[in-house]
Amino acid sequence: MRPVEQTKIAVIGMGIMGPGIALEFSKAGYPVTGFDLNPDAVAAGEEIIDVTLTTLVETGHMTREEIKPVEERITYTDSLGPAVADAGIIIEAVSENRDVKKAVFREIDSHAPEKSMIWSNTSTLNIFEILPENRQAHTLIAHWFAPPHIVPLVEVVKGEKTASGTVETTVSMLKAMKKIPVVMEKYVPGFIINRILRNLGREAFFLLDNGYISKEDLDLAVKASIAPRMMVLGLIQRYDFTGLDLSARNLLDENFFDPPVDNTPAALHDNINAGHLGVKAGRGFYDYAGRDTTDILNDRDRYLLKVMDSLQFCLEKERLV
Ligand SMILES: NC(=O)c1ccc[n+]([C@@H]2O[C@H](COP(=O)([O-])OP(=O)(O)OC[C@H]3O[C@@H](n4cnc5c(N)ncnc54)[C@H](O)[C@@H]3O)[C@@H](O)[C@H]2O)c1
């Protein structure tokens, strides 16, 4: 592997995810170039990086002296060619749209060195189907979680033709960056966490739509029970503590019923129809009226940093055995 300072990183797409990923590479010492088709997104990305670095200083995670070189290692460009021309790793973080990503892969292919690795941040798409053949060996999905500068997990998903060296290099780079990579041997839509979240969401919307509980109490119930317990036991080890026999009986319980499959739950669509699209619109399930989006995200980051700091020990020992 080349020394960190010689491996250039190109981040394509500076929306919600790109800036945080760019920041993580820069913090680890890599020179990073950010590109987005939309100049406003580049400007907003730069601002997010500035605000985030200030938060990291104010919360004691970095010193003022440390942030200057981190800022200086990130440059921005208004075209894709120069961003990828000498990049060792290209982060594809453009909009989650098959045609958009297909065009971006084609453009990367015509400008980037043959050996450059491509890490796609897609949440669900099988990008291996839309990737030029000559790029298959050096490409994989590296799926980060928002906010990527705080949440440690990166799901690494192999394509059928991804070379083992590409996976090994990716995993060791991510570990050196203090991220937590988990490798999936083959593609499945949603990978691990978004598959689990899809099912949790289905149940939560069922409970809300049928008036069983308020959104506030549902959120409180989760925070006061499974959220902290999962930090200690994960999802699977919890069965050992419940007892596998009891868990099996619970699954067979005929009084229990699964929520009907409903892909347009009222809880979501009533809000959407009213224009309540979430934090970005000033209102979603909750009301953020009068608050600046950057401030809200900043508050979330401060809480998350506090939680991650205090629960770090749970990640250091893999299993409680
Ligand atoms: N938002 C999340 O929480 C999250 C989490 C994990 C993964 N992802 C995935 O990361 C990717 C990016 O998501 P996001 O939420 O940052 O999206 P976003 O919509 O916030 O940003 C996407 C950016 O891509 C830019 N773009 C579109 N076409 C482009 C092109 N041809 N060249 C350069 N830039 C282009 C857009 O201008 C936009 O700024 C998606 O694949 C998404 O599924 C998102």
Side-chain angles (χ1 to χ4, degrees), residues 12-19 35-38 41 80 92-97 100-101 103-104 107 120-125 143-146 194:
I12 312 300
M14 295 291 281
I16 291 175
M17 296 300 286
F35 164 67
D36 196 292
L37 266 189
N38 175 1
L80 185 141
E92 178 280 294
V94 302
S95 319
E96 186 76 347
N97 175 299
V100 170
K101 289 199 192 280
V104 167
E107 221 187 321
S120 173
N121 194 41
T122 182
S123 302
T124 51
L125 296 170
H143 180 244
W144 301 59
F145 288 79
N194 281 341

Coordinates of all heavy atoms in Angstrom, one line a residue, residues 12-19 35-38 41 80 92-97 100-101 103-104 107 120-125 143-146 194, ligand 1:
I12 N -16.8 12.2 -5.2 CA -17.7 12.6 -6.3 C -19.1 12.7 -5.7 O -19.7 11.6 -5.3 CB -17.7 11.7 -7.5 CG1 -16.2 11.4 -7.9 CG2 -18.5 12.3 -8.7 CD1 -15.4 12.6 -8.3
G13 N -19.6 13.9 -5.5 CA -21.0 14.1 -4.9 C -20.7 14.7 -3.5 O -20.2 14.0 -2.6
M14 N -21.1 16.0 -3.3 CA -20.9 16.6 -2.1 C -22.2 17.0 -1.4 O -22.5 18.1 -1.1 CB -20.0 17.9 -2.3 CG -18.6 17.6 -2.7 SD -17.6 16.7 -1.5 CE -17.2 18.1 -0.4
G15 N -23.1 16.0 -1.3 CA -24.4 16.2 -0.7 C -24.3 16.0 0.8 O -23.5 16.4 1.5
I16 N -25.3 15.1 1.3 CA -25.3 14.8 2.7 C -24.1 14.0 3.1 O -23.5 14.3 4.2 CB -26.6 14.0 3.1 CG1 -27.8 15.0 2.9 CG2 -26.5 13.5 4.5 CD1 -29.1 14.3 3.1
M17 N -23.6 13.1 2.3 CA -22.6 12.1 2.7 C -21.2 12.5 2.3 O -20.2 12.3 3.1 CB -22.9 10.7 2.2 CG -24.2 10.1 2.7 SD -24.2 9.9 4.5 CE -23.1 8.5 4.7
G18 N -21.0 13.1 1.1 CA -19.7 13.4 0.6 C -18.8 14.2 1.5 O -17.6 13.8 1.8
P19 N -19.2 15.3 2.1 CA -18.3 16.1 2.9 C -17.8 15.4 4.1 O -16.6 15.5 4.4 CB -19.2 17.3 3.3 CG -20.3 17.4 2.3 CD -20.5 16.0 1.8
F35 N -15.8 17.0 -5.5 CA -16.4 17.5 -6.7 C -17.9 17.2 -6.7 O -18.4 16.2 -6.2 CB -15.9 16.8 -8.0 CG -16.8 17.0 -9.2 CD1 -16.9 18.3 -9.8 CD2 -17.5 15.9 -9.8 CE1 -17.8 18.4 -10.9 CE2 -18.3 16.1 -10.9 CZ -18.4 17.4 -11.4
D36 N -18.7 18.2 -7.2 CA -20.2 18.0 -7.3 C -20.6 18.8 -8.5 O -20.0 19.9 -8.8 CB -20.9 18.5 -6.1 CG -22.4 18.0 -6.0 OD1 -23.2 18.4 -6.9 OD2 -22.6 17.2 -5.1
L37 N -21.6 18.3 -9.3 CA -22.1 19.0 -10.5 C -22.6 20.4 -10.1 O -22.6 21.3 -10.8 CB -23.3 18.2 -11.0 CG -23.0 17.2 -12.2 CD1 -24.4 16.7 -12.7 CD2 -22.2 17.9 -13.3
N38 N -23.2 20.4 -8.9 CA -23.9 21.6 -8.4 C -22.9 22.4 -7.5 O -22.6 22.0 -6.4 CB -25.1 21.1 -7.6 CG -25.8 22.3 -7.0 OD1 -25.5 23.5 -7.1 ND2 -26.9 22.0 -6.2
A41 N -23.8 22.9 -3.9 CA -23.5 21.7 -3.0 C -22.0 21.7 -2.6 O -21.7 21.4 -1.4 CB -23.8 20.4 -3.8
L80 N -15.1 16.8 -13.0 CA -14.8 15.5 -12.5 C -13.4 15.0 -13.0 O -12.6 14.4 -12.2 CB -15.8 14.5 -13.0 CG -15.7 13.0 -12.5 CD1 -17.1 12.4 -12.2 CD2 -15.0 12.1 -13.5
E92 N -17.6 7.3 -4.8 CA -18.8 7.7 -5.6 C -19.9 7.9 -4.5 O -20.4 6.9 -3.9 CB -19.2 6.5 -6.6 CG -20.4 6.8 -7.4 CD -21.7 6.4 -6.6 OE1 -21.9 5.3 -6.3 OE2 -22.4 7.4 -6.3
A93 N -20.3 9.2 -4.4 CA -21.4 9.5 -3.4 C -22.4 10.4 -4.1 O -22.8 11.4 -3.5 CB -20.8 10.2 -2.2
V94 N -22.7 10.1 -5.3 CA -23.7 10.9 -6.0 C -25.1 10.4 -5.7 O -25.3 9.3 -5.1 CB -23.5 11.0 -7.5 CG1 -22.1 11.5 -7.9 CG2 -23.7 9.6 -8.2
S95 N -26.2 11.1 -6.2 CA -27.6 10.8 -5.9 C -27.9 9.3 -6.2 O -27.3 8.7 -7.1 CB -28.5 11.6 -6.8 OG -28.0 13.0 -6.9
E96 N -28.7 8.8 -5.3 CA -29.1 7.3 -5.4 C -30.0 7.1 -6.6 O -31.2 6.9 -6.4 CB -29.8 6.9 -4.1 CG -30.0 5.4 -4.0 CD -28.8 4.6 -3.7 OE1 -27.7 5.0 -3.8 OE2 -29.0 3.4 -3.3
N97 N -29.4 7.1 -7.8 CA -30.2 6.9 -9.0 C -29.3 6.1 -10.0 O -28.2 6.5 -10.2 CB -30.6 8.3 -9.6 CG -31.2 8.3 -10.9 OD1 -30.7 7.7 -11.9 ND2 -32.4 8.8 -11.0
V100 N -27.9 8.0 -13.0 CA -26.9 9.0 -12.6 C -25.6 8.3 -12.3 O -24.5 8.7 -12.8 CB -27.4 9.8 -11.4 CG1 -26.3 10.7 -10.9 CG2 -28.6 10.7 -11.8
K101 N -25.7 7.2 -11.5 CA -24.5 6.5 -11.1 C -23.8 5.9 -12.3 O -22.6 5.9 -12.5 CB -24.8 5.5 -10.0 CG -25.1 6.1 -8.7 CD -25.0 5.1 -7.5 CE -25.6 5.6 -6.2 NZ -24.8 6.5 -5.5
A103 N -23.8 6.9 -15.4 CA -23.1 7.9 -16.2 C -21.8 8.4 -15.5 O -20.8 8.6 -16.1 CB -24.0 9.1 -16.4
V104 N -21.9 8.4 -14.1 CA -20.7 8.8 -13.4 C -19.6 7.8 -13.5 O -18.4 8.1 -13.7 CB -21.1 9.1 -11.9 CG1 -19.8 9.2 -11.0 CG2 -21.9 10.4 -11.8
E107 N -17.9 8.2 -16.7 CA -17.0 9.3 -16.8 C -15.8 9.1 -15.9 O -14.6 9.4 -16.4 CB -17.8 10.6 -16.2 CG -17.5 11.8 -17.0 CD -18.1 13.0 -16.3 OE1 -19.2 12.9 -15.8 OE2 -17.4 14.1 -16.3
S120 N -18.2 2.7 -3.9 CA -19.5 3.3 -4.1 C -20.2 3.4 -2.7 O -20.2 2.4 -2.0 CB -20.3 2.5 -5.1 OG -21.6 3.0 -5.1
N121 N -20.8 4.5 -2.5 CA -21.6 4.7 -1.2 C -23.0 4.3 -1.4 O -23.9 4.7 -0.5 CB -21.4 6.1 -0.7 CG -21.8 6.2 0.8 OD1 -21.6 5.4 1.6 ND2 -22.5 7.3 1.1
T122 N -23.4 3.7 -2.5 CA -24.8 3.4 -2.7 C -25.5 2.7 -1.5 O -24.8 1.9 -0.8 CB -25.0 2.5 -3.9 OG1 -26.4 2.3 -4.1 CG2 -24.4 1.1 -3.8
S123 N -26.7 3.0 -1.2 CA -27.4 2.4 -0.1 C -28.1 1.1 -0.5 O -28.3 0.2 0.3 CB -28.5 3.3 0.5 OG -27.9 4.5 0.9
T124 N -28.5 1.0 -1.8 CA -29.3 -0.2 -2.2 C -28.9 -0.7 -3.5 O -29.2 -1.9 -3.8 CB -30.8 0.2 -2.2 OG1 -30.9 1.3 -3.0 CG2 -31.4 0.4 -0.8
L125 N -28.4 0.1 -4.4 CA -28.2 -0.3 -5.8 C -27.2 -1.4 -6.0 O -26.1 -1.4 -5.4 CB -27.9 0.9 -6.7 CG -29.0 1.9 -6.8 CD1 -28.4 3.2 -7.5 CD2 -30.2 1.4 -7.5
H143 N -20.2 1.3 2.2 CA -21.5 2.0 2.6 C -21.3 2.6 4.0 O -21.2 1.9 5.0 CB -22.7 1.1 2.5 CG -23.9 1.7 2.9 ND1 -24.7 1.4 4.0 CD2 -24.6 2.8 2.3 CE1 -25.8 2.1 4.1 NE2 -25.7 3.0 3.1
W144 N -21.2 4.0 4.0 CA -21.0 4.7 5.3 C -22.4 5.1 5.8 O -23.4 5.0 5.1 CB -20.2 6.0 5.0 CG -18.8 5.8 4.4 CD1 -18.5 5.2 3.3 CD2 -17.6 6.2 5.0 NE1 -17.2 5.2 3.1 CE2 -16.6 5.8 4.1 CE3 -17.2 6.9 6.2 CZ2 -15.2 6.1 4.4 CZ3 -15.9 7.1 6.4 CH2 -14.9 6.7 5.5
F145 N -22.4 5.5 7.1 CA -23.6 5.9 7.7 C -23.6 7.3 8.2 O -22.5 7.8 8.6 CB -23.9 5.0 9.0 CG -24.2 3.6 8.5 CD1 -23.3 2.7 8.1 CD2 -25.6 3.2 8.5 CE1 -23.6 1.5 7.6 CE2 -25.9 1.9 8.0 CZ -24.9 1.1 7.6
A146 N -24.7 8.0 8.1 CA -24.7 9.4 8.4 C -24.8 9.6 10.0 O -25.5 8.9 10.6 CB -26.0 10.1 7.8
N194 N -29.6 -1.4 6.6 CA -30.8 -0.9 6.0 C -31.9 -2.0 5.9 O -33.1 -1.7 5.8 CB -30.6 -0.2 4.7 CG -30.0 1.2 4.9 OD1 -30.2 1.8 6.0 ND2 -29.4 1.8 3.9
Ligands
LIG1 N1 -28.1 10.4 3.2 C1 -27.8 9.3 3.9 O1 -28.1 9.1 5.1 C2 -27.0 8.2 3.3 C3 -26.4 7.2 4.1 C4 -25.6 6.2 3.5 C5 -25.4 6.2 2.1 N2 -26.1 7.1 1.3 C6 -25.8 7.1 -0.1 O2 -24.8 8.0 -0.5 C7 -25.1 8.5 -1.8 C8 -25.2 10.0 -1.7 O3 -26.3 10.3 -0.8 P1 -26.6 11.7 -0.2 O4 -27.6 11.5 0.8 O5 -25.3 12.4 0.1 O6 -27.3 12.4 -1.5 P2 -27.5 13.9 -1.8 O7 -28.7 13.9 -2.6 O8 -27.5 14.7 -0.5 O9 -26.3 14.3 -2.6 C9 -25.9 13.8 -3.8 C10 -25.1 14.8 -4.6 O10 -24.7 14.2 -5.8 C11 -24.6 15.3 -6.7 N3 -24.6 14.8 -8.1 C12 -25.6 14.3 -8.8 N4 -25.2 13.9 -10.0 C13 -23.8 14.1 -10.0 C14 -22.8 14.0 -11.0 N5 -23.1 13.4 -12.2 N6 -21.6 14.3 -10.7 C15 -21.3 14.9 -9.5 N7 -22.2 15.1 -8.5 C16 -23.5 14.7 -8.8 C17 -25.8 16.2 -6.4 O11 -25.6 17.5 -6.9 C18 -25.8 16.1 -4.9 O12 -25.1 17.2 -4.3 C19 -26.3 7.8 -2.3 O13 -26.0 6.7 -3.0 C20 -27.0 7.4 -1.0 O14 -27.9 6.3 -1.2 C21 -26.8 8.1 1.9

